[in-house]
Amino acid sequence: MNIQIFGKNKCFDTKKAQRYFKERGVKFQSIDLLKYGISRGELTSVKNAVGLEALLDPKAADAPLVTYLAYDEDKLEKLLEDPRLLRTPIVRNGKLATVGYCPDVWKTWT
Protein backbone atom coordinates (compact mmCIF):
# COMPACT_ATOMS: atom_id res chain seq x y z
CA MET A 1 0.00 0.00 0.00
CA ASN A 2 1.41 3.37 -1.07
CA ILE A 3 -0.67 6.14 0.51
CA GLN A 4 -0.15 9.76 -0.55
CA ILE A 5 -1.91 12.61 1.22
CA PHE A 6 -2.02 15.89 -0.69
CA GLY A 7 -3.14 18.71 1.56
CA LYS A 8 -2.67 22.20 2.89
CA ASN A 9 -0.80 22.83 6.15
CA LYS A 10 -3.69 24.72 7.73
CA CYS A 11 -6.42 22.31 6.58
CA PHE A 12 -8.14 20.60 9.51
CA ASP A 13 -9.33 17.63 7.40
CA THR A 14 -5.79 17.06 6.10
CA LYS A 15 -4.52 16.84 9.69
CA LYS A 16 -7.36 14.42 10.53
CA ALA A 17 -6.45 12.22 7.54
CA GLN A 18 -2.80 12.12 8.58
CA ARG A 19 -3.82 11.22 12.13
CA TYR A 20 -6.14 8.47 10.83
CA PHE A 21 -3.30 6.65 9.03
CA LYS A 22 -0.74 7.36 11.77
CA GLU A 23 -3.00 5.83 14.46
CA ARG A 24 -3.34 2.67 12.38
CA GLY A 25 0.38 2.37 11.73
CA VAL A 26 -0.03 2.90 7.97
CA LYS A 27 2.92 4.65 6.35
CA PHE A 28 2.03 7.54 4.08
CA GLN A 29 3.69 10.31 2.14
CA SER A 30 2.43 13.80 2.97
CA ILE A 31 2.66 16.45 0.21
CA ASP A 32 1.99 20.16 0.81
CA LEU A 33 -0.14 21.21 -2.18
CA LEU A 34 0.60 24.91 -1.82
CA LYS A 35 4.36 24.34 -1.69
CA TYR A 36 4.85 21.48 -4.16
CA GLY A 37 1.59 21.30 -6.11
CA ILE A 38 0.41 18.13 -7.84
CA SER A 39 1.53 16.73 -11.18
CA ARG A 40 -0.79 16.49 -14.17
CA GLY A 41 -0.57 12.67 -14.08
CA GLU A 42 -1.46 12.49 -10.37
CA LEU A 43 -4.34 14.94 -10.75
CA THR A 44 -5.66 13.07 -13.79
CA SER A 45 -5.50 9.79 -11.86
CA VAL A 46 -7.48 11.33 -8.98
CA LYS A 47 -9.97 12.89 -11.42
CA ASN A 48 -10.55 9.48 -13.02
CA ALA A 49 -11.23 7.98 -9.57
CA VAL A 50 -13.51 10.65 -8.07
CA GLY A 51 -14.65 12.93 -10.91
CA LEU A 52 -13.72 16.52 -11.70
CA GLU A 53 -16.51 18.13 -9.65
CA ALA A 54 -15.29 16.47 -6.42
CA LEU A 55 -11.85 18.08 -6.83
CA LEU A 56 -13.07 21.68 -6.75
CA ASP A 57 -13.27 23.33 -3.33
CA PRO A 58 -16.57 25.25 -3.32
CA LYS A 59 -15.19 27.59 -0.61
CA ALA A 60 -12.26 28.72 -2.81
CA ALA A 61 -12.45 32.33 -3.97
CA ASP A 62 -12.14 31.48 -7.71
CA ALA A 63 -14.35 28.36 -7.60
CA PRO A 64 -17.25 30.02 -9.51
CA LEU A 65 -14.84 30.96 -12.30
CA VAL A 66 -13.75 27.33 -12.73
CA THR A 67 -17.34 26.06 -12.85
CA TYR A 68 -18.07 28.39 -15.79
CA LEU A 69 -15.21 27.06 -17.91
CA ALA A 70 -16.69 25.09 -20.81
CA TYR A 71 -14.21 22.24 -21.18
CA ASP A 72 -13.00 19.76 -18.58
CA GLU A 73 -9.43 20.14 -19.88
CA ASP A 74 -9.59 23.91 -19.15
CA LYS A 75 -10.92 23.20 -15.64
CA LEU A 76 -8.12 20.70 -15.02
CA GLU A 77 -5.55 23.24 -16.26
CA LYS A 78 -6.91 25.88 -13.86
CA LEU A 79 -6.72 23.41 -10.92
CA LEU A 80 -3.10 22.64 -11.85
CA GLU A 81 -2.26 26.37 -12.02
CA ASP A 82 -3.83 27.19 -8.65
CA PRO A 83 -3.78 24.35 -6.06
CA ARG A 84 -5.76 26.55 -3.64
CA LEU A 85 -8.81 25.60 -5.73
CA LEU A 86 -8.45 21.92 -4.82
CA ARG A 87 -10.53 20.38 -2.04
CA THR A 88 -8.32 18.66 0.51
CA PRO A 89 -7.17 16.21 1.58
CA ILE A 90 -6.62 14.28 -1.63
CA VAL A 91 -5.67 10.76 -0.56
CA ARG A 92 -4.27 8.34 -3.16
CA ASN A 93 -3.67 4.63 -2.92
CA GLY A 94 -2.44 3.65 -6.38
CA LYS A 95 -5.37 4.11 -8.76
CA LEU A 96 -7.82 4.55 -5.86
CA ALA A 97 -8.41 8.04 -4.49
CA THR A 98 -10.64 10.10 -2.24
CA VAL A 99 -11.19 13.82 -1.78
CA GLY A 100 -12.07 15.11 1.67
CA TYR A 101 -12.12 13.17 4.95
CA CYS A 102 -13.34 9.64 4.03
CA PRO A 103 -12.41 7.13 6.78
CA ASP A 104 -15.10 4.67 5.63
CA VAL A 105 -13.38 4.32 2.24
CA TRP A 106 -9.86 4.21 3.74
CA LYS A 107 -10.96 1.37 6.03
CA THR A 108 -11.46 -0.81 2.94
CA TRP A 109 -7.85 -0.06 1.83
CA THR A 110 -6.10 -1.34 4.96
Side-chain angles (χ1 to χ4, degrees), residues 76-89:
L76 200 61
E77 195 62 42
K78 189 68 177 161
L79 293 175
L80 281 167
E81 284 173 21
D82 189 358
R84 292 174 301 175
L85 292 168
L86 291 166
R87 190 167 154 228
T88 55

Side-chain angles (χ1 to χ4, degrees), residues 2-109:
N2 186 18
I3 303 289
Q4 290 179 304
I5 300 175
F6 294 88
K8 302 168 191 162
N9 279 340
K10 296 186 179 186
C11 173
F12 182 67
D13 283 343
T14 298
K15 291 181 190 328
K16 282 184 3 184
Q18 291 169 342
R19 190 175 334 113
Y20 175 89
F21 288 105
K22 208 175 282 181
E23 286 173 353
R24 284 152 184 80
V26 177
K27 290 188 180 198
F28 61 89
Q29 178 186 14
S30 187
I31 298 111
D32 183 353
L33 267 176
L34 301 181
K35 190 173 183 181
Y36 300 107
I38 187 169
S39 75
R40 177 180 297 281
E42 289 168 329
L43 189 59
T44 302
S45 172
V46 173
K47 178 194 75 129
N48 292 340
V50 300
L52 189 59
E53 289 74 30
L55 287 169
L56 184 61
D57 183 357
K59 296 180 207 139
D62 288 344
L65 168 74
V66 176
T67 58
Y68 287 113
L69 293 172
Y71 302 106
D72 284 354
E73 192 56 40
D74 293 340
K75 292 177 184 179
L76 200 61
E77 195 62 42
K78 189 68 177 161
L79 293 175
L80 281 167
E81 284 173 21
D82 189 358
R84 292 174 301 175
L85 292 168
L86 291 166
R87 190 167 154 228
T88 55
I90 297 171
V91 182
R92 286 186 63 214
N93 179 14
K95 297 254 184 236
L96 303 172
T98 61
V99 177
Y101 184 69
C102 306
D104 294 338
V105 176
W106 303 333
K107 203 179 294 177
T108 65
W109 295 355

